[in-house]
Amino acid sequence: MLHFSSVLASWPVFLSGLAITVLLTLLSCSLGTLLGIGCAWCRVYGSRPLRVAVACYVEFFRNTPFIVQIFFIYFGLPAIGLRFASLPAAILALTINLGAYACEIVRAGIEATPRGQIEAAQCLSLNRWQVFTRVVLPPAMSRVWPALTSQLVIIMLATAVCSLVSTAELSYVTNRIAAQTFRQFESYIVVTALYPVLSICFRRLLQWLGPRFLFGCAPLGANR
């Protein structure tokens, strides 16, 4: 028979874990998206050595498991004198992982920009930075925002892996509550119900933020 009373009595612990999950998500998604945009610029407009270096970074992090990446940062780097606490290690791993995926997503949007728009901007004497930030990037982000939104939600769900390096996010505190109350089934029912709610709310937030603050127009197909 299910008994949720002892599990739900630990709601302050759930809230503390939820706060860390939200913090991890906001920081890693913000930094990872910026990293992805920068890497996409390098792949499209950078010099050949820079394009090759960024391509190697992208391929490496897209073709290795996230759990291996975070283990390497938290357990491996101390061997060469680089030590991170669990929370900074988790943020770094999530950011680098997202940056690799966001790079290819944003690059696809940049390369879809009509050449005529760029030439028109150049005729108006805009410099390269102005052309990129005002003419190329906003419509590119509009094109790829649905795909990038899905990737950001995946990163939010990937925060659960950070519990393996003792980051006190939602999954970590759920394991602790389950061990303390001996109500494993009930504990994991609660956390399993929380993650879909988080995912849906985060996706809706991104769908609202993007057109209003990132690219200034509704995504393609939004009015269909």
Side-chain angles (χ1 to χ4, degrees), residues 4-28:
F4 286 93
S5 56
S6 58
V7 173
L8 296 178
S10 302
W11 64 268
V13 182
F14 276 116
L15 285 181
S16 67
L18 179 61
I20 297 298
T21 294
V22 171
L23 177 65
L24 284 172
T25 301
L26 294 179
L27 288 178
S28 60

Side-chain angles (χ1 to χ4, degrees), residues 176-196:
R176 193 171 70 186
I177 292 171
Q180 291 173 347
T181 62
F182 300 101
R183 292 290 176 182
Q184 285 81 5
F185 190 59
E186 292 89 336
S187 298
Y188 293 119
I189 286 178
V190 172
V191 76
T192 302
L194 283 175
Y195 274 113

